[in-house]
Amino acid sequence: DADVTQTPRNRITKTGKRIMLECSQTKGHDRMYWYRQDPGLGLRLIYYSFDVKDINKGEISDGYSVSRQAQAKFSLSLESAIPNQTALYFCATSDLRDRGLETQYFGPGTRLLVL
Amino acid sequence: DQQVKQNSPSLSVQEGRISILNCDYTNSMFDYFLWYKKYPAEGPTFLISISSIKDKNEDGRFTVFLNKSAKHLSLHIVPSQPGDSAVYFCAARGERSGGGADGLTFGKGTHLIIQP
């Protein structure tokens, strides 16, 4: 079983709709992240959370919100989707205790298309 | 501004030869560097990392070299195998210019193609 899972894996939605992408992990890590990947742009950080009560904006948080419902769950919401949010979205986790240096483990990704 | 740069979008190498992937960074506050490998339809997977206090880290066929003065790191794969064909992302951790976020800053990736 995968340690980091994302649902849905693919989603098509229309401009203006609210959608939620979900991430669950069984690694017991305290840190979780949301990234988006666009062609030719690598991965960019949207939001991250170091524990249930800690939420931080990344470099491209506008238009997104997150919720850390539990240590194992971190969801990303698009309140009103727009076409330029079409991208591949990745959730990641990390544990500072991991060999003393943080390594992030990624989920399989959610491919989102906003029409 | 792009703080982590991978200037080669693609690289083609013959099977059995050495693959060298390069990465440059501009932020001197980065203290930890990682390489991730990504196959189509999958998330990136961690490959190897190096702390800024070291200049070399080796793990099997993979070696990462760090030149802090040049703000340059490279990933060497030897010998290259067909299964190494993937997109490789260089990533860096540390306080970003402007402060704040503590996630990873990624390069745009290099598509490595191993030819038989």
Side-chain angles (χ1 to χ4, degrees):
Chain A
D1 288 340
D3 294 318
V4 184
T5 58
Q6 293 183 232
T7 56
R9 293 295 312 277
N10 295 280
R11 177 75 183 268
I12 300 174
T13 191
K14 294 182 179 180
T15 297
K17 294 290 187 181
R18 181 182 188 274
I19 65 165
M20 180 183 290
L21 310 182
E22 299 190 10
C23 176
S24 295
Q25 52 116 346
T26 58
K27 299 183 76 68
H29 289 171
D30 48 3
R31 301 182 172 199
M32 298 186 73
Y33 309 79
W34 275 104
Y35 292 88
R36 67 178 275 178
Q37 183 188 10
D38 298 276
L41 289 181
L43 285 82
R44 292 181 292 166
L45 182 65
I46 306 172
Y47 269 96
Y48 62 105
S49 168
F50 285 173
D51 65 40
V52 175
K53 298 179 181 179
D54 176 80
I55 301 290
N56 303 280
K57 291 183 177 181
E59 62 181 298
I60 54 164
S61 59
D62 287 348
Y64 301 94
S65 62
V66 291
S67 174
R68 185 80 184 267
Q69 303 96 319
Q71 188 200 33
K73 296 184 182 295
F74 192 36
S75 59
L76 175 72
S77 294
L78 286 67
E79 298 300 327
S80 180
I82 55 177
N84 75 2
Q85 291 178 311
T86 293
L88 189 52
Y89 289 84
F90 289 103
C91 174
T93 74
S94 70
D95 185 349
L96 190 59
R97 296 167 296 177
D98 185 10
R99 294 180 289 175
L101 291 171
E102 184 180 339
T103 298
Q104 295 186 16
Y105 298 87
F106 285 80
T110 294
R111 189 171 296 278
L112 175 66
L113 173 61
V114 182
L115 299 175
Chain B
D1 64 333
Q2 193 181 349
Q3 298 189 57
V4 177
K5 300 177 184 179
Q6 294 177 258
N7 292 320
S8 298
S10 66
L11 175 67
S12 184
V13 175
Q14 276 205 311
E15 182 178 357
R17 299 284 185 117
I18 184 171
S19 295
I20 300 176
L21 294 92
N22 293 303
C23 178
D24 297 292
Y25 62 96
T26 58
N27 187 346
S28 58
M29 298 299 290
F30 288 142
D31 63 354
Y32 184 49
F33 303 89
L34 309 90
W35 284 95
Y36 282 84
K37 177 179 180 180
K38 184 181 181 303
Y39 292 118
E42 295 182 11
T45 55
F46 170 73
L47 191 57
I48 193 170
S49 64
I50 188 167
S51 165
S52 59
I53 62 173
K54 295 186 175 182
D55 55 17
K56 177 182 175 182
N57 188 28
E58 193 170 354
D59 184 0
R61 296 185 298 114
F62 304 92
T63 303
V64 56
F65 295 92
L66 176 62
N67 182 334
K68 284 186 67 178
S69 62
K71 294 190 177 67
H72 176 83
L73 65 156
S74 61
L75 173 68
H76 292 212
I77 306 172
V78 55
S80 300
Q81 299 174 354
D84 296 330
S85 294
V87 177
Y88 289 79
F89 290 100
C90 171
R93 185 198 71 178
E95 185 179 351
R96 296 159 188 250
S97 57
D102 195 27
L104 295 175
T105 301
F106 284 82
K108 294 182 178 182
T110 296
H111 185 193
L112 176 64
I113 302 165
I114 305 301
Q115 295 181 335

